[in-house]
């Protein structure tokens, strides 16, 4: 009991310790399933010593010696690998924190609370530390993501999470955060998902939540708005939300619940006009205002359908089908879930339906831990259950690009990475494939692990590229026989959209007009799949590599696929010459990919107007020190905006790769950029964390800490390969 936070037994509530002992944390990685453990017991801690990777993640000094100063880019890559090798985890993959979004951890904590799941004291302590570390230094609130300004979403949810893990309302941090929340309009002005979570927690009334009708799932498939057509993240989140909404389920009222009702609002809780605040939203949270159509539908559902028309039988049937779909998602992913938004929600649904000691609840409890990550600042929630396959694929490519894959020095590292990808290939279709509307996935890779099991067009492609590159290198074993490579290609070939481009998890199943029903307010481009230059390029480049080695397999289809994809990429080039990036920040990221696509069909500056315009665009953004520096604001506003903190290595690397792929004729600016990247390398071979790298849904940023290793190494390796005699240092 002493090791649990006070939530189980409020009488025993005690102030949380200042911090845990960082030398007692360990990361366990079993076949890509990553969990953090706090070892209270000295003997156990001795038996299981901290690894260098643990120390790195926890920001404990690694005491590594300085390496010889590189005299050329390839030597810099060697130094980089020397460091990066130490972060490889036992199964062969790389891992890292995958934070950024500030709405994930509260979902987990609220789900724990309402399902009476005890929170280990070490977790509670480090969750507090992380949230305190990430509060806005000026106003004490939290934004949608770590670099964003304070919002109701971030502040209301993280405030509640802190109170749940055991922080008292009179702590100075809490007083400050509360003032900001009240200034922004209080929790009545939160977006949809905040109102939903607070209602489950019993600190708001369900009447404040815009409708989430489970009946939607009874619509026949041909209906243009039927949920199976939505982007997979939206449909999975709405699914679990609709179950809780339909039941208007509320957790047990506790002392803490009563206190939060006083703290989150400026008005007297008993007198709040809940229904009247359904559409109240702070300007800070209103990135995508609701359309007139959605407002009308909501009005009709609240005032006509729910009170007068909704037959009880239909409600029951809808709840039953939603519940079945939740089970399918849980079984398909062994309770890991698609992402840490729907997973905690599914857990609450299982609790409501199956009770606290059911198998479904126990398994959810276990697997939820895979989303949690510990770093120097404390404990956070990752955006997925890890970055395993994605980062491992890029790590392999970085070595290959530098031509170091034939050097025996890196063979053990690469072999172990290959073994990991071998183990993580998805070999079977989803158990409930058609009933749960899943895309084909045999032969695919997921972003994280095969138990999560969601194929993504570019995750399959990057992993497959890495496998082919290594297996075609003399001396490497053929772990994947040809048939498994063909399985992957067969799946990849199902991903082309009618436009010719490729989307993320499935080809689009409805048009952009469905954004009219985007109810989330805080995100853009969330309702349906879109085609992305990044995903399309990954597919184009793997198909190009594949056909070099297997020129006869589905040759015509592959040829056509590539042509149409590249045609689509050209068609979405912006007038300024760049491409808008949806998963990395921002134009620099997507422009690199687009130029890789052009290169793979033989188009460079020498023969392509598209490539020339793209290079001019990139070079117009190069800074005097040789670097690039793009801000996350570019994603929100869809125009190139500089980051205030000056040149950044990751973006500089992206620009270098793009220019090299386009074979830009003047080496001078590229050499300068390469020199900049080398100047930022530390004597032990590492690069330090700079600004946030990734994005989703236009408005939310997410960290890719390993990008500061893999992309600089790719850029340096490619440069040295192309210009072996250029003197950089
Ligand atoms: C990711 C992470 C990886 C990313 C790439 C592979 C980089 C991209 O090229 C394709 C899309 C994908 C798979 C992707 C989609 C959206 C995710 C899953 C995330 C950005 C990580 C977190 C995010 C997810 C939606 C977070 C939960 C938020 C909701 C709005 C439901």
């Amino acid at each position: 009991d002493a090791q649990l936070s006070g939530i189980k037994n409020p009488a025993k509530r005690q102030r949380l310790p200042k911090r845990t002992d960082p030398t007692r944390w360990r990361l366990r990685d079993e076949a890509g399933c990553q969990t953090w453990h706090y070892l209270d017991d000295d003997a156990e801690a001795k038996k299981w010593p901290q690894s260098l990777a643990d120390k790195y993640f926890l920001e404990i000094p690694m005491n590594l010696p300085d390496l010889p100063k590189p005299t050329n880019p390839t030597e810099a890559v060697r130094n980089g690998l020397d460091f990066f090798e130490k972060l490889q985890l036992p199964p062969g993959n790389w891992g890292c924190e995958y934070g950024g979004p500030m709405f994930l951890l509260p979902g987990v904590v609220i789900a724990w609370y309402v399902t009476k799941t005890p929170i280990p004291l070490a977790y509670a302590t480090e969750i507090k530390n992380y949230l305190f570390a990430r509060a806005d230094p000026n106003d004490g609130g939290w934004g949608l993501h770590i670099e964003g300004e304070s919002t109701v979403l971030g502040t209301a949810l993280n405030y509640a999470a802190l109170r749940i893990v055991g922080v008292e309302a009179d702590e100075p941090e809490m007083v400050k955060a509360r003032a900001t929340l009240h200034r922004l309009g209080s929790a009545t002005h939160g977006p949809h998902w905040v109102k939903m979570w607070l209602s489950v927690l019993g600190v708001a009334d369900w009447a404040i939540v815009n409708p989430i009708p489970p009946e939607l799932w009874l619509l026949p498939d041909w209906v243009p708005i039927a949920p199976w057509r939505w982007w997979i993240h939206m449909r999975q989140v709405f699914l679990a939300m609709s179950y809780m909404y339909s039941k208007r389920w509320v957790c047990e009222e506790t002392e803490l619940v009563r206190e939060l009702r006083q703290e989150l609002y400026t008005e007297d809780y008993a007198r709040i006009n809940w229904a009247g605040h359904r559409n109240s939203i702070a300007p800070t949270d209103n990135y995508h205002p609701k359309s007139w159509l959605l407002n009308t539908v909501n009005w009709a559902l609240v005032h006509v359908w729910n009170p007068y028309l909704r037959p009880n039988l239909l409600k029951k049937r809808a709840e039953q089908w939603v519940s079945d779909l939740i089970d399918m998602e849980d079984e398909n992913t062994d309770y890991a879930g698609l992402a840490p938004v729907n997973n905690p929600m599914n857990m609450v649904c299982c609790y409501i339906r199956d009770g606290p000691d059911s198998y479904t609840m126990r398994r959810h409890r276990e697997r939820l831990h895979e989303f949690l990550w510990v770093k120097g600042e404390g404990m956070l929630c990752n955006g997925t259950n890890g970055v395993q396959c994605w980062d491992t694929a890029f790590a392999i490519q970085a070595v290959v690009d530098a031509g170091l894959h034939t050097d025996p020095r890196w063979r053990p590292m690469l072999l172990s990475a290959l073994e990991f990808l071998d183990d993580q290939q998805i070999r079977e279709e989803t158990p409930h494939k058609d009933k749960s509307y899943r895309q084909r996935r045999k032969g695919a890779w997921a972003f994280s692990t095969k138990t999560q099991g969601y194929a993504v067009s570019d995750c399959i492609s990057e992993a497959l590229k890495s496998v082919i590159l290594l297996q075609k290198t003399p001396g490497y074993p053929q772990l994947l026989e040809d048939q498994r490579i063909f399985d992957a290609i067969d799946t990849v070939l199902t991903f082309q959209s009618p436009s010719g481009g490729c989307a993320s998890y499935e080809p689009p199943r409805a048009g952009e007009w469905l954004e009219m029903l985007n109810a989330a307010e805080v995100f853009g481009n969330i309702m349906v799949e879109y085609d992305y230059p990044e995903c399309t390029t990954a597919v184009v480049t793997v198909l190009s590599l594949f056909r070099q080695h297997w020129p006869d397999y589905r040759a015509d289809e592959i040829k056509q696929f590539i042509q149409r994809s590249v045609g689509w990429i050209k068609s979405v080039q912006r007038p300024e010459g760049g491409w808008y990036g949806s998963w990395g920040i921002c134009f620099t990221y997507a422009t690199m990919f687009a130029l890789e696509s052009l290169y793979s069909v033989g188009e460079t500056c020498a023969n392509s107007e598209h490539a020339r315009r793209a290079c001019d665009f990139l070079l117009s953004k190069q800074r005097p020190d040789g670097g690039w520096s793009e801000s996350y604001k570019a994603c929100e506003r869809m125009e190139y905006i500089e980051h205030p903190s000056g040149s950044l290595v990751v973006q500089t690397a992206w620009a270098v790769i793009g220019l090299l792929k386009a074979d830009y004729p003047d080496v001078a600016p590229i050499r300068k950029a390469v020199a900049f990247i080398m100047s930022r390398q530390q004597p032990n071979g590492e690069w330090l964390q700079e600004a946030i790298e990734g994005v989703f849904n236009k408005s939310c940023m997410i960290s890719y800490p390993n990008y500061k290793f893999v992309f600089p190494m790719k850029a340096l390796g490619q440069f040295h390969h192309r210009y072996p005699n250029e003197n950089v240092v």
Side-chain angles (χ1 to χ4, degrees):
D1 207 11
Q3 289 178 29
L4 302 175
S5 93
I7 65 146
K8 252 267 163 109
N9 184 350
K12 282 202 185 156
R13 232 182 145 95
Q14 33 164 310
R15 298 236 167 200
L16 288 175
K18 270 226 141 14
R19 57 185 303 204
T20 60
D21 174 358
T23 66
R24 290 181 183 272
W25 285 101
R26 307 283 184 277
L27 175 67
R28 173 177 293 151
D29 185 348
E30 281 165 336
C33 161
Q34 299 169 168
T35 45
W36 280 91
H37 301 264
Y38 191 69
L39 308 181
D40 276 306
D41 183 71
D42 285 337
E44 213 187 333
K46 261 221 178 88
K47 269 208 317 252
W48 180 5
Q50 243 174 356
S51 68
L52 276 174
D54 290 335
K55 289 190 178 161
Y56 175 75
F57 298 136
L58 294 157
E59 287 159 51
I60 298 173
M62 294 162 82
N63 298 324
L64 299 174
D66 288 359
L67 300 168
K69 202 169 159 41
T71 61
N72 64 44
T74 303
E75 284 180 21
V77 177
R78 280 210 183 88
N79 284 0
L81 288 175
D82 204 283
F83 186 89
F84 199 47
E85 184 189 35
K86 303 197 165 63
L87 306 186
Q88 189 178 27
L89 299 167
N93 67 299
W94 276 263
C96 58
E97 79 145 295
Y98 191 36
M102 290 306 288
F103 57 94
L104 301 174
L105 189 55
V108 173
V109 172
I110 292 174
W112 279 336
Y113 189 73
V114 304
T115 61
K116 302 194 173 138
T117 302
I119 306 176
L121 185 62
Y123 279 35
T125 307
E126 292 307 334
I127 287 174
K128 169 203 67 172
N129 287 342
Y130 180 75
L131 292 179
F132 280 0
R134 284 296 167 179
D136 185 298
N138 297 317
D139 64 21
W142 294 268
L144 175 61
H145 57 90
I146 54 174
E147 290 196 18
E149 57 176 41
S150 297
T151 57
V152 175
L153 172 121
T155 311
L157 286 182
N158 288 301
Y159 182 92
L162 279 165
R163 295 286 281 117
I164 290 174
V165 298
V167 180
E168 298 301 334
D170 59 1
E171 300 274 357
E173 291 89 344
M174 302 299 272
V175 176
K176 202 169 161 191
R178 216 158 49 228
T180 291
L181 177 61
H182 293 174
R183 177 176 56 80
L184 295 173
S186 92
T188 50
H189 285 61
H192 195 208
W193 296 7
V194 171
K195 290 169 172 163
M196 192 282 316
W197 269 129
L198 296 184
S199 302
V200 170
L201 187 57
V203 301
D205 188 289
W206 275 106
I208 200 174
V209 182
N210 267 317
I212 318 165
E215 292 91 318
L216 275 172
W217 269 266
L218 296 179
L219 292 174
D221 287 353
W222 58 262
V223 176
I225 64 160
W228 71 278
R229 300 173 184 275
W230 305 2
W231 189 44
I232 191 126
H233 281 280
M234 270 324 274
R235 67 179 196 255
Q236 291 295 10
V237 169
F238 242 67
L239 182 72
M241 280 179 32
S242 74
Y243 189 78
M244 297 185 279
Y245 171 81
S246 190
K247 301 226 172 253
R248 307 288 198 279
W249 187 81
V250 180
C251 81
E252 190 185 308
E253 187 177 311
T254 61
E255 191 50 39
L256 177 65
V257 164
R258 283 188 290 271
E259 287 170 13
L260 275 171
R261 288 177 182 169
Q262 303 313 314
E263 295 161 25
L264 293 172
Y265 302 96
T266 43
E267 299 165 72
D268 176 6
Y269 189 82
R271 301 178 54 174
I272 294 177
N273 172 6
W274 298 104
H277 279 300
R278 257 193 318 112
N279 292 314
S280 303
I281 177 140
T284 45
D285 292 61
N286 206 9
Y287 179 74
H288 184 107
K290 294 189 293 301
S291 67
W292 61 267
L293 179 68
L294 181 60
N295 283 329
T296 313
V297 171
N298 280 340
W299 185 91
L301 287 168
V302 168
H303 295 286
V304 187
W305 175 256
N306 283 348
Y308 302 116
L309 298 179
R310 193 182 194 205
N312 204 33
L313 197 72
L314 196 69
K315 170 176 179 244
K316 287 275 162 281
R317 268 194 55 201
E319 282 178 3
Q320 184 56 48
W321 177 230
V322 162
S323 157
D324 291 348
L325 285 166
I326 290 174
D327 281 338
M328 287 182 231
E329 157 75 351
D330 283 344
E331 284 164 26
N332 285 342
T333 62
D334 188 16
Y335 298 81
L338 172 59
V341 181
N342 82 318
N343 186 294
M345 291 180 187
N346 277 18
M347 170 158 128
V348 176
C349 295
C350 290
Y351 179 84
I352 299 171
R353 194 190 57 193
D354 306 336
D357 301 316
S358 56
Y359 172 76
T360 57
M361 255 313 281
R362 286 205 317 269
R363 193 67 185 136
H364 265 301
R365 276 196 181 117
E366 271 166 27
R367 295 227 64 184
L368 204 51
H369 285 254
E370 284 173 49
F371 291 102
L372 298 164
W373 189 268
V374 189
K375 61 182 289 201
E377 286 174 329
M379 179 178 260
L380 64 132
C381 179
N382 279 347
T384 55
N385 61 333
V387 299
Q388 295 85 335
C389 290
W390 183 251
D391 280 13
T392 305
F394 280 121
I396 294 173
Q397 291 173 29
V399 190
V400 174
D401 284 355
L404 294 174
H405 53 312
T406 48
D407 180 343
R409 166 72 181 84
W410 308 110
R411 192 171 188 280
M413 175 181 92
L414 290 176
L415 188 59
S416 158
L418 177 62
E419 282 164 0
F420 181 78
L421 292 181
D422 165 33
D423 178 50
Q424 289 297 321
Q425 189 184 26
I426 299 168
R427 310 283 285 272
E428 278 119 37
E429 283 308 336
T430 324
H432 305 281
K433 177 173 178 289
D434 295 332
K435 263 184 119 179
S436 57
Y437 303 103
R438 291 281 299 266
Q439 172 79 5
R440 181 198 145 104
R441 68 168 197 182
K442 188 167 184 214
W445 281 267
F447 179 75
S448 58
T449 59
K450 69 178 171 198
T451 45
Q452 191 260 2
Y454 276 90
V456 186
S457 64
D458 57 353
C459 300
I460 313 171
S461 304
E462 299 297 351
L464 182 60
K465 238 191 271 180
S466 302
V467 166
I468 297 177
L469 287 169
L470 281 186
Q471 294 203 154
K472 291 294 170 191
T473 303
Y476 279 87
Q478 306 297 299
L479 299 181
L480 283 80
E481 71 270 21
D482 284 0
Q483 187 51 51
R484 286 172 62 190
I485 301 215
F486 299 157
D487 287 344
I489 290 290
D490 290 347
T491 293
V492 162
L493 290 176
T494 66
F495 271 87
Q496 191 161 42
S497 312
S499 71
C502 296
S504 56
Y505 298 82
E506 297 151 351
R509 296 173 174 186
E512 188 175 0
W513 57 269
L514 214 67
E515 295 297 338
M516 296 275 278
L517 299 182
N518 177 345
E521 293 148 331
V522 288
F523 305 112
N525 281 9
I526 200 175
M527 288 304 290
V528 287
E529 280 278 6
Y530 296 89
D531 300 319
Y532 303 106
E534 302 98 306
C535 298
T536 310
T537 293
V539 173
V540 166
T541 48
V542 78
L543 291 177
S544 306
L545 177 68
F546 172 81
R547 70 172 170 183
Q548 286 169 23
H549 295 286
W550 291 271
D552 299 327
Y553 189 80
R554 298 183 69 176
D556 288 340
E557 286 159 88
I558 291 179
K559 186 169 162 220
Q560 273 201 19
F561 193 117
I562 294 177
Q563 265 172 8
R564 292 185 53 222
S565 285
V566 175
W568 176 80
I569 288 182
K570 288 179 182 170
S571 75
V572 293
Q573 186 171 21
R574 303 246 147 186
E576 314 81 59
W579 281 263
Y580 176 77
S582 295
W583 306 111
I585 299 168
C586 175
F587 291 92
T588 327
Y589 184 67
T591 304
M592 162 184 76
F593 281 104
L595 286 170
E596 286 185 313
S597 269
L598 295 180
Y599 168 80
S600 78
V601 294
E603 292 196 26
T604 62
C605 286
N607 57 5
S608 159
E609 185 52 31
H610 292 280
R612 282 194 290 269
R613 273 174 47 217
C615 290
D616 290 344
F617 167 76
L618 284 177
L619 288 168
S620 73
K621 308 296 179 196
Q622 191 174 25
R623 296 161 49 86
D625 62 2
W628 274 258
S629 168
E630 207 180 342
S631 156
Y632 74 83
K633 298 229 184 272
C635 308
E636 290 175 357
R637 298 201 209 138
M638 301 188 77
E639 55 180 318
Y640 193 99
I641 295 173
E642 289 226 347
H643 198 282
S645 62
S647 297
L648 306 166
V649 286
V650 172
Q651 271 147 352
T652 306
W654 290 339
V656 166
I657 296 170
L659 292 168
L660 287 172
K661 289 289 173 197
D663 206 9
Y664 186 71
D666 181 7
V667 66
I670 315 180
R671 191 198 312 114
K672 198 163 181 195
V674 166
F676 168 79
I677 295 174
M678 287 175 67
S679 76
R680 287 278 167 107
Q681 192 175 27
Q682 305 298 303
N684 63 4
E686 74 174 311
W687 280 273
L688 302 178
Q689 183 61 39
E690 298 174 340
I692 200 158
E693 303 87 355
V695 58
F696 57 90
N697 303 121
K698 291 170 105 174
S699 59
C700 192
M701 306 305 134
I702 185 159
S703 310
Y704 287 82
N706 285 331
Y707 281 7
K708 65 179 172 284
F709 297 106
V710 292
F711 286 106
M713 292 196 290
K714 268 175 150 270
L716 298 183
Q718 289 181 17
F719 178 82
H720 202 203
H721 183 74
R722 172 71 181 76
Y723 297 106
N725 302 318
E726 248 341 287
N727 210 352
V728 183
V729 282

